[in-house]
Protein backbone atom coordinates (compact mmCIF):
# COMPACT_ATOMS: atom_id res chain seq x y z
CA UNK A 1 0.00 0.00 0.00
CA UNK A 2 1.48 3.37 -0.98
CA UNK A 3 1.46 6.29 1.43
CA UNK A 4 -1.47 8.13 -0.18
CA UNK A 5 -3.67 5.04 0.08
CA UNK A 6 -2.50 4.43 3.63
CA UNK A 7 -3.35 7.99 4.74
CA UNK A 8 -6.84 7.62 3.31
CA UNK A 9 -7.21 4.19 4.95
CA UNK A 10 -6.04 5.58 8.29
CA UNK A 11 -8.76 8.21 8.25
CA UNK A 12 -11.41 5.63 7.37
CA UNK A 13 -10.22 3.26 10.11
CA UNK A 14 -10.38 6.02 12.71
CA UNK A 15 -13.77 7.12 11.37
CA UNK A 16 -15.14 3.58 11.68
CA UNK A 17 -14.35 3.32 15.40
CA UNK A 18 -14.86 6.98 16.40
CA UNK A 19 -15.07 8.21 19.08
CA UNK A 20 -13.04 5.25 20.40
CA UNK A 21 -9.24 5.52 19.93
CA UNK A 22 -6.82 3.30 18.07
CA UNK A 23 -3.29 3.00 19.46
CA UNK A 24 -0.25 3.65 17.27
CA UNK A 25 0.88 0.08 17.90
CA UNK A 26 -2.48 -1.35 16.76
CA UNK A 27 -2.46 0.82 13.64
CA UNK A 28 1.13 -0.16 12.88
CA UNK A 29 0.23 -3.85 13.05
CA UNK A 30 -2.91 -3.36 10.99
CA UNK A 31 -1.12 -1.53 8.17
CA UNK A 32 2.10 -3.53 8.50
CA UNK A 33 4.33 -0.51 9.07
CA UNK A 34 6.38 0.77 12.00
CA UNK A 35 4.95 2.79 14.89
CA UNK A 36 7.19 5.66 13.77
CA UNK A 37 5.60 5.55 10.31
CA UNK A 38 2.13 5.72 11.84
CA UNK A 39 3.18 8.72 13.94
CA UNK A 40 4.52 10.48 10.84
CA UNK A 41 1.31 9.71 8.95
CA UNK A 42 -0.87 11.03 11.78
CA UNK A 43 1.23 14.20 11.92
CA UNK A 44 0.79 14.66 8.16
CA UNK A 45 -2.99 14.29 8.51
CA UNK A 46 -3.07 16.81 11.34
CA UNK A 47 -0.97 19.28 9.33
CA UNK A 48 -3.43 18.99 6.43
CA UNK A 49 -6.36 19.83 8.69
CA UNK A 50 -7.81 16.37 9.43
CA UNK A 51 -9.26 16.54 12.99
CA UNK A 52 -7.20 13.72 14.53
CA UNK A 53 -6.14 14.09 18.14
CA UNK A 54 -4.25 11.97 20.67
CA UNK A 55 -6.05 10.63 23.74
CA UNK A 56 -3.57 9.97 26.58
CA UNK A 57 -3.60 7.07 29.00
CA UNK A 58 -3.14 3.30 28.99
CA UNK A 59 -6.21 2.80 26.80
CA UNK A 60 -5.63 5.92 24.73
CA UNK A 61 -4.56 6.37 21.16
CA UNK A 62 -5.58 8.40 18.15
CA UNK A 63 -9.18 9.59 17.70
CA UNK A 64 -11.04 11.23 14.85
CA UNK A 65 -13.57 13.99 15.48
CA UNK A 66 -16.32 12.43 13.40
CA UNK A 67 -18.53 15.52 13.60
CA UNK A 68 -15.95 17.57 11.68
CA UNK A 69 -15.35 15.16 8.78
CA UNK A 70 -17.31 13.99 5.77
CA UNK A 71 -17.93 10.37 4.80
CA UNK A 72 -16.37 9.11 1.58
CA UNK A 73 -17.63 10.87 -1.54
CA UNK A 74 -19.12 8.46 -4.05
CA UNK A 75 -19.12 10.30 -7.37
CA UNK A 76 -19.88 8.31 -10.48
CA UNK A 77 -17.39 8.64 -13.36
CA UNK A 78 -20.04 10.59 -15.31
CA UNK A 79 -20.58 13.02 -12.43
CA UNK A 80 -16.84 13.65 -12.09
CA UNK A 81 -16.45 14.35 -15.79
CA UNK A 82 -19.53 16.61 -15.77
CA UNK A 83 -17.88 18.67 -13.02
CA UNK A 84 -14.67 18.87 -15.06
CA UNK A 85 -16.60 20.16 -18.07
CA UNK A 86 -18.41 22.70 -15.89
CA UNK A 87 -15.06 23.95 -14.59
CA UNK A 88 -14.18 25.08 -18.09
CA UNK A 89 -16.82 27.78 -17.65
CA UNK A 90 -14.83 29.16 -14.71
CA UNK A 91 -11.79 30.09 -16.79
CA UNK A 92 -10.97 33.73 -16.20
CA UNK A 93 -12.91 33.92 -12.92
CA UNK A 94 -11.51 34.25 -9.39
CA UNK A 95 -12.72 30.72 -8.61
CA UNK A 96 -10.94 28.59 -11.25
CA UNK A 97 -8.05 27.62 -8.98
CA UNK A 98 -10.13 26.60 -5.92
CA UNK A 99 -12.60 24.73 -8.14
CA UNK A 100 -9.82 22.72 -9.76
CA UNK A 101 -8.40 21.89 -6.33
CA UNK A 102 -11.84 20.77 -5.11
CA UNK A 103 -12.28 18.47 -8.11
CA UNK A 104 -8.88 16.87 -7.57
CA UNK A 105 -9.79 16.17 -3.92
CA UNK A 106 -13.10 14.62 -4.95
CA UNK A 107 -11.47 12.39 -7.56
CA UNK A 108 -8.83 11.35 -5.00
CA UNK A 109 -11.65 10.28 -2.65
CA UNK A 110 -13.38 8.12 -5.27
CA UNK A 111 -13.08 4.35 -5.33
CA UNK A 112 -10.04 3.30 -7.37
CA UNK A 113 -12.02 1.71 -10.20
CA UNK A 114 -14.38 4.68 -10.45
CA UNK A 115 -11.49 7.16 -10.51
CA UNK A 116 -9.81 5.17 -13.30
CA UNK A 117 -13.08 5.03 -15.24
CA UNK A 118 -13.53 8.81 -14.81
CA UNK A 119 -10.05 9.48 -16.17
CA UNK A 120 -10.71 7.15 -19.12
CA UNK A 121 -14.02 8.90 -19.84
CA UNK A 122 -12.41 12.34 -19.61
CA UNK A 123 -9.76 11.23 -22.09
CA UNK A 124 -12.49 10.58 -24.65
CA UNK A 125 -13.96 14.09 -24.44
CA UNK A 126 -12.55 16.92 -26.55
CA UNK A 127 -13.54 20.56 -26.49
CA UNK A 128 -13.16 22.82 -29.50
CA UNK A 129 -11.79 26.33 -29.11
CA UNK A 130 -10.49 28.30 -26.17
CA UNK A 131 -11.56 27.42 -22.65
CA UNK A 132 -12.97 30.88 -22.03
CA UNK A 133 -13.20 34.38 -23.44
CA UNK A 134 -12.31 36.30 -20.29
CA UNK A 135 -8.71 37.10 -19.28
CA UNK A 136 -7.40 35.28 -16.25
CA UNK A 137 -7.62 36.87 -12.81
CA UNK A 138 -4.32 37.40 -10.95
CA UNK A 139 -3.99 34.86 -8.16
CA UNK A 140 -3.59 37.50 -5.44
CA UNK A 141 -6.80 39.15 -6.64
CA UNK A 142 -8.59 35.80 -6.75
CA UNK A 143 -7.57 35.19 -3.11
CA UNK A 144 -8.55 38.69 -1.96
CA UNK A 145 -11.66 37.63 -0.04
CA UNK A 146 -10.27 34.37 1.35
CA UNK A 147 -7.33 36.06 3.08
CA UNK A 148 -8.57 39.56 3.90
CA UNK A 149 -5.75 42.06 3.68
CA UNK A 150 -5.40 45.57 2.34
CA UNK A 151 -4.13 45.33 -1.25
CA UNK A 152 -1.89 47.84 -3.01
CA UNK A 153 -2.69 47.69 -6.72
CA UNK A 154 -1.63 49.35 -9.92
CA UNK A 155 -4.77 50.16 -11.90
CA UNK A 156 -5.43 51.58 -15.34
CA UNK A 157 -8.72 53.35 -16.04
CA UNK A 158 -10.61 53.22 -19.34
CA UNK A 159 -8.46 56.04 -20.74
CA UNK A 160 -5.31 54.16 -19.81
CA UNK A 161 -4.25 56.46 -16.97
CA UNK A 162 -2.42 54.45 -14.29
CA UNK A 163 -2.84 55.02 -10.56
CA UNK A 164 -1.60 53.33 -7.41
CA UNK A 165 -4.43 52.44 -5.01
CA UNK A 166 -4.78 50.92 -1.57
CA UNK A 167 -8.04 49.00 -1.43
CA UNK A 168 -10.07 46.92 1.03
CA UNK A 169 -11.66 44.01 -0.92
CA UNK A 170 -15.40 43.54 -0.37
CA UNK A 171 -16.70 41.25 -3.12
CA UNK A 172 -16.84 40.34 -6.80
CA UNK A 173 -19.21 41.13 -9.64
CA UNK A 174 -19.11 38.94 -12.75
CA UNK A 175 -20.55 39.81 -16.14
CA UNK A 176 -20.57 37.93 -19.45
CA UNK A 177 -17.21 39.45 -20.41
CA UNK A 178 -15.44 40.72 -17.29
CA UNK A 179 -14.94 40.26 -13.56
CA UNK A 180 -14.78 43.17 -11.14
CA UNK A 181 -13.26 43.34 -7.67
CA UNK A 182 -15.50 45.53 -5.51
CA UNK A 183 -13.50 47.29 -2.81
CA UNK A 184 -13.26 50.32 -0.60
CA UNK A 185 -10.81 52.60 -2.39
CA UNK A 186 -8.74 54.71 0.00
CA UNK A 187 -7.76 57.07 -2.80
CA UNK A 188 -11.42 57.89 -3.58
CA UNK A 189 -12.67 57.28 -0.02
CA UNK A 190 -15.58 55.30 -1.46
CA UNK A 191 -16.59 51.90 -2.85
CA UNK A 192 -15.28 51.27 -6.35
CA UNK A 193 -15.37 48.35 -8.80
CA UNK A 194 -12.01 47.45 -10.36
CA UNK A 195 -12.03 45.49 -13.60
CA UNK A 196 -9.62 42.65 -12.94
CA UNK A 197 -7.92 42.77 -16.34
CA UNK A 198 -6.97 46.40 -15.68
CA UNK A 199 -5.11 45.52 -12.47
CA UNK A 200 -1.46 45.59 -13.53
CA UNK A 201 0.22 44.84 -10.19
CA UNK A 202 -0.83 43.50 -6.80
CA UNK A 203 0.91 43.62 -3.43
CA UNK A 204 -0.58 42.14 -0.27
CA UNK A 205 0.08 44.33 2.76
CA UNK A 206 0.18 43.11 6.35
CA UNK A 207 -2.78 45.30 7.29
CA UNK A 208 -6.13 43.66 8.04
CA UNK A 209 -8.91 45.99 6.89
CA UNK A 210 -11.72 47.03 9.24
CA UNK A 211 -15.04 45.19 8.83
CA UNK A 212 -17.21 46.72 6.10
CA UNK A 213 -20.54 45.47 4.77
CA UNK A 214 -21.17 45.29 1.03
CA UNK A 215 -24.57 46.94 0.78
CA UNK A 216 -27.10 46.67 -2.01
CA UNK A 217 -26.72 50.35 -2.85
CA UNK A 218 -22.98 49.78 -3.36
CA UNK A 219 -23.95 47.60 -6.34
CA UNK A 220 -26.28 50.14 -7.96
CA UNK A 221 -25.26 49.13 -11.48
CA UNK A 222 -27.21 51.06 -14.14
CA UNK A 223 -27.66 48.08 -16.46
CA UNK A 224 -28.63 44.47 -15.92
CA UNK A 225 -29.81 42.69 -12.80
CA UNK A 226 -27.36 41.74 -10.05
CA UNK A 227 -28.12 38.43 -8.37
CA UNK A 228 -26.36 37.14 -5.29
CA UNK A 229 -24.75 33.71 -5.56
CA UNK A 230 -26.27 31.02 -3.32
CA UNK A 231 -25.16 27.44 -2.57
CA UNK A 232 -28.67 25.98 -2.53
Amino acid sequence: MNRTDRLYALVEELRAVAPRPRSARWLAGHFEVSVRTVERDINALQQSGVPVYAEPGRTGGYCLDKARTLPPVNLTPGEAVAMAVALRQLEGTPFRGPAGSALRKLVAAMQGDDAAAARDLAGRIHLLGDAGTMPSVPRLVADALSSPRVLRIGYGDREGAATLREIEPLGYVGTATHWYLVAWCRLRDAVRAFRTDRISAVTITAEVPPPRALRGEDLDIPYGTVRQLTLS
Side-chain angles (χ1 to χ4, degrees):
M1 180 184 292
N2 63 42
R3 190 175 189 232
T4 299
D5 291 341
R6 189 173 65 249
L7 290 174
Y8 177 76
L10 266 171
V11 173
E12 293 312 306
E13 176 61 36
L14 294 176
R15 188 199 309 279
V17 298
R20 292 179 289 120
R22 285 291 196 206
S23 70
R25 187 173 299 279
W26 189 96
L27 292 168
H30 182 70
F31 291 107
E32 299 180 342
V33 295
S34 68
V35 170
R36 180 59 181 156
T37 295
V38 168
E39 291 171 344
R40 284 197 297 263
D41 287 349
I42 292 294
N43 182 64
L45 290 171
Q46 292 171 330
Q47 292 296 320
S48 67
V50 178
V52 178
Y53 61 94
E55 188 172 286
R58 186 175 59 83
T59 60
Y62 293 110
C63 303
L64 180 74
D65 187 347
K66 202 170 184 178
R68 294 176 54 201
T69 65
L70 293 174
V73 177
N74 294 316
L75 290 180
T76 67
E79 288 169 340
V81 171
M83 292 179 65
V85 172
L87 289 189
R88 294 295 294 264
Q89 303 304 312
L90 294 179
E91 294 291 348
T93 77
F95 311 106
R96 179 60 182 88
S101 175
L103 180 59
R104 287 191 294 273
K105 290 178 182 178
L106 288 171
V107 172
M110 293 172 67
Q111 298 293 327
D113 291 347
D114 285 342
R119 293 188 180 94
D120 180 70
L121 179 58
R124 300 170 185 269
I125 297 171
H126 305 276
L127 303 175
L128 180 65
D130 295 334
T133 59
M134 290 190 288
S136 62
V137 176
R139 183 184 60 82
L140 296 180
V141 174
D143 294 343
L145 300 185
S146 301
S147 303
R149 291 289 188 276
V150 174
L151 300 184
R152 188 175 296 117
I153 65 171
Y155 190 71
D157 64 19
R158 67 183 63 185
E159 281 77 34
T163 56
L164 184 65
R165 316 276 187 110
E166 284 196 350
I167 63 172
E168 302 170 17
L170 299 174
Y172 297 110
V173 172
T175 72
T177 55
H178 297 290
W179 276 82
Y180 297 82
L181 176 63
V182 181
W184 180 266
C185 177
R186 293 182 172 179
L187 178 66
R188 304 304 184 197
D189 198 28
V191 173
R192 290 290 187 267
F194 299 93
R195 216 173 84 177
T196 56
D197 63 322
R198 291 179 179 166
I199 298 176
S200 58
V202 185
T203 300
I204 298 179
T205 73
E207 183 182 355
V208 177
R212 295 185 189 273
L214 184 57
R215 305 167 302 170
E217 53 265 37
D218 295 328
L219 299 175
D220 186 19
I221 299 174
Y223 57 88
T225 301
V226 179
R227 296 182 176 87
Q228 185 179 19
L229 180 69
T230 65
L231 298 181
S232 58

